[in-house]
Amino acid sequence: MADQDSILARISVNCPPETQRVLTAAWSHDVRAVKKLLDTPDKARCQDPQTGETPLHAAIRSCGAPSEDDTPEDLEAAHKTVYELLLWGAIWNDVDDHSETPGCVAQRLNRPELYNLCVDAGVRAEMIFGLLDGYEKLSSDGEDDDEEMANGEAQVEDGDEAPELVSVEDDQNGTDVVDELVKEEPTFQPPKNDSDVDVKSEAYLRSKLTYSDGKLVDDAGNGVMMAWETDVMRRSVDALLPGKEPGKRILNIGFGMGIIDTMFTETKPARHHIIEAHPEVLAHISAPDSKFGKAWEESGPEPGAFKVHQGKWQDVALELLHSGQMYDAIYFDTFGEDYAQLRMFFTEFIPGLLDTRGIFGFFNGLGADRKICYDVYTKVSEMHLSEAGLDTDWDEIPVDMKELAEAGKGEWEGVKRRYWTLDTYRLPTCTFLG
Ligand SMILES: C[S@@+](CC[C@H](N)C(=O)[O-])C[C@H]1O[C@@H](n2cnc3c(N)ncnc32)[C@H](O)[C@@H]1O
């Protein structure tokens, strides 16, 4: 086992004794001790303040890579420990000081059974978040609560902070004010990485964009669209229009560099609608040398058949829905929006806009900066798609990582965030069930 994975390297001398006890029990797969120590979810979520090791990391890491010394009993004990920790609310995606989640450790050590337990825990957690999200929207002050919670989670760096002096006031008689020394436990500060950049839709739609060298980049340096995705776009067109018969009705959401729209025009559709919201992309579309300007719109088989709808899809698609438009192929690829928006498109728009024999696809970049997140989101999106009455086929496409392997280099030169890190793209093809 590499040094960085040894118990000495992972449980630091600064680790509070209670956390140390849970980590050590998890590390040695002592299921009885783990059960005894875990009496609240907090315990299953404890972290070494220096290494960020959680009991879940410890239980997986201590297995090491598969070896001849493994016995079925060891593996069963490891499995049971991980299961017990998850039962007690251990968090599937906490990262340690090497920016690894427990699932990343299982993947690196080639422990697929433990990796799959982490994926399943991730799916459960994200499905529950999805439900809570839905309920939050019903509450008028949900957003404030969220903000307060986020602010309240400020973390203490390192273990050398001075104990904090707090005043405890007795409200009953208003007189008894006691100053108490409260020793705050040090907490782990996860390392910052480039995937922490949070792009917000409204800010993106106001940002300045640059088209250059096979890239569309916003003013914060985020890659909005990149030429390396051309193969994914080609395969998406193949999946959406098998046989490439002319005369299909196509809706594409998000123009970007116009890569997929150019491919769609080659199939000679009867209707080709594009929805785009960014003013600079729209200016690019209507520039004199654009293939999608006025002349293209006027070249459609009937007025309005070829059209760039200006505005956010949330508004435009609603109008299309209300006016009874239907499509044989719909593709969705926006930028700066969270998964909740995509899910809303699945459940609230696809059933009305897609012909019963139509095909829907989307750019599947969900969680693509970490394999376990990608695997979790594949399952979560498949479940939400089936809620919308859709059956999903996933086609695995190899991605040539030669020019994509290192942040800031190759294709990523001039791009802040490496939003893709995986050598396989999972392409979704969705059709109505039954
Ligand atoms: C990743 S690019 C699309 C790339 C495209 N598939 C191609 O082949 O070039 C995303 C596009 O979605 C647009 N967009 C982002 N949010 C949007 C929204 N709410 N409504 C409509 N378009 C949006 C962006 O401005 C951008 O042009």
Side-chain angles (χ1 to χ4, degrees):
M1 190 186 298
D3 256 353
Q4 68 165 38
D5 284 325
S6 69
I7 190 164
L8 280 177
R10 301 309 303 162
I11 305 182
S12 73
V13 286
N14 294 333
C15 189
E18 198 162 11
T19 302
Q20 222 175 89
R21 276 194 287 277
V22 181
L23 291 179
T24 313
W27 187 282
S28 52
H29 304 146
D30 184 343
V31 186
R32 273 179 59 189
V34 168
K35 279 190 179 169
K36 224 163 138 195
L37 287 164
L38 299 184
D39 46 14
T40 66
D42 283 357
K43 300 252 177 79
R45 295 170 189 171
C46 65
Q47 257 184 310
D48 182 295
Q50 206 166 303
T51 67
E53 191 80 350
T54 67
L56 215 44
H57 283 94
I60 293 170
R61 197 187 306 273
S62 67
C63 295
S67 86
E68 288 171 356
D69 300 336
D70 287 347
T71 66
E73 294 75 31
D74 290 343
L75 296 179
E76 199 188 327
H79 199 281
K80 276 192 177 153
T81 308
V82 168
Y83 187 80
E84 192 65 27
L85 289 165
L86 290 171
L87 212 61
W88 274 97
I91 297 178
W92 71 280
N93 60 350
D94 265 340
V95 292
D96 65 12
D97 54 347
H98 297 292
S99 203
E100 283 189 315
T101 67
C104 301
V105 176
Q107 163 75 15
R108 174 167 60 78
L109 296 175
N110 188 19
R111 293 289 183 181
E113 327 77 32
L114 301 181
Y115 179 80
N116 290 337
L117 284 179
C118 296
V119 172
D120 291 346
V123 173
R124 282 194 300 274
E126 295 308 294
M127 292 300 288
I128 290 168
F129 270 132
L131 288 174
L132 293 176
D133 227 352
Y135 293 135
E136 262 167 29
K137 272 188 209 123
L138 298 176
S139 128
S140 58
D141 58 358
E143 273 181 41
D144 292 356
D145 288 346
D146 272 351
E147 250 172 57
E148 277 165 26
M149 258 170 71
N151 293 339
E153 281 176 5
Q155 292 183 311
V156 183
E157 263 185 273
D158 296 324
D160 52 9
E161 297 269 324
E164 201 183 321
L165 195 62
V166 293
S167 280
V168 178
E169 199 167 336
D170 182 345
D171 283 337
Q172 294 295 304
N173 53 30
T175 52
D176 210 2
V177 178
V178 183
D179 282 335
E180 246 183 34
L181 271 177
V182 176
K183 175 88 175 78
E184 277 212 1
E185 293 254 299
T187 52
F188 175 66
Q189 192 72 30
K192 278 248 165 266
N193 73 39
D194 63 1
S195 66
D196 294 339
V197 183
D198 194 11
V199 184
K200 291 274 185 285
S201 175
E202 291 306 321
Y204 161 69
L205 292 174
R206 284 193 307 267
S207 70
K208 287 218 107 4
L209 302 181
T210 313
Y211 281 94
S212 68
D213 295 344
K215 290 185 192 81
L216 173 60
V217 180
D218 74 4
D219 56 11
N222 297 299
V224 177
M225 181 63 184
M226 297 176 72
W228 70 264
E229 294 173 46
T230 302
D231 185 45
V232 170
M233 295 300 134
R234 164 69 56 211
R235 303 237 195 180
S236 302
V237 172
D238 293 347
L240 290 173
L241 300 167
K244 307 268 173 40
E245 289 156 43
K248 295 290 182 190
R249 298 160 297 169
I250 300 171
L251 172 64
N252 178 43
I253 298 176
F255 180 82
M257 291 167 63
I259 298 174
I260 203 162
D261 283 304
T262 302
M263 295 171 182
F264 282 143
T265 58
E266 289 158 7
T267 68
K268 311 243 174 303
R271 189 187 303 157
H272 183 172
H273 287 172
I274 299 169
I275 305 179
E276 173 55 51
H278 199 295
E280 291 196 30
V281 177
L282 291 167
H284 177 85
I285 292 174
S286 51
D289 58 346
S290 161
K291 284 185 270 183
F292 294 91
K294 222 165 162 251
W296 172 74
E297 288 197 338
E298 284 167 1
S299 71
E302 55 181 291
F306 291 1
K307 190 168 174 53
V308 177
H309 294 272
Q310 307 195 359
K312 290 171 70 167
W313 66 263
Q314 289 85 344
D315 304 322
V316 177
L318 202 61
E319 284 166 23
L320 295 174
L321 203 60
H322 288 156
S323 62
Q325 299 277 348
M326 278 247 164
Y327 301 89
D328 302 302
I330 301 181
Y331 191 65
F332 186 104
D333 180 13
T334 66
F335 178 79
E337 299 193 307
D338 59 24
Y339 174 67
Q341 295 298 298
L342 179 59
R343 183 187 167 192
M344 178 169 85
F345 189 73
F346 297 162
T347 51
E348 292 178 28
F349 290 82
I350 285 294
L353 290 173
L354 189 66
D355 187 273
T356 40
R357 279 167 307 179
I359 305 182
F360 168 59
F362 59 96
F363 179 73
N364 181 20
L366 302 163
D369 48 15
R370 198 181 280 277
K371 180 175 162 37
I372 186 160
C373 296
Y374 199 62
D375 290 344
V376 165
Y377 266 89
T378 298
K379 294 196 174 187
V380 168
S381 55
E382 186 173 323
M383 287 185 193
H384 288 143
L385 283 159
S386 93
E387 258 175 36
L390 292 158
D391 186 34
T392 307
D393 268 346
W394 301 98
D395 200 8
E396 302 222 322
I397 298 176
V399 177
D400 183 355
M401 291 301 288
K402 263 201 302 297
E403 293 295 314
L404 294 169
E406 239 185 292
K409 303 230 169 95
E411 295 272 359
W412 303 114
E413 207 177 312
V415 177
K416 180 155 86 180
R417 177 174 167 253
R418 197 162 78 102
Y419 59 84
W420 187 271
T421 61
L422 311 170
D423 57 13
T424 305
Y425 176 84
R426 224 172 262 143
L427 187 146
T429 305
C430 314
T431 47
F432 282 115
L433 289 157

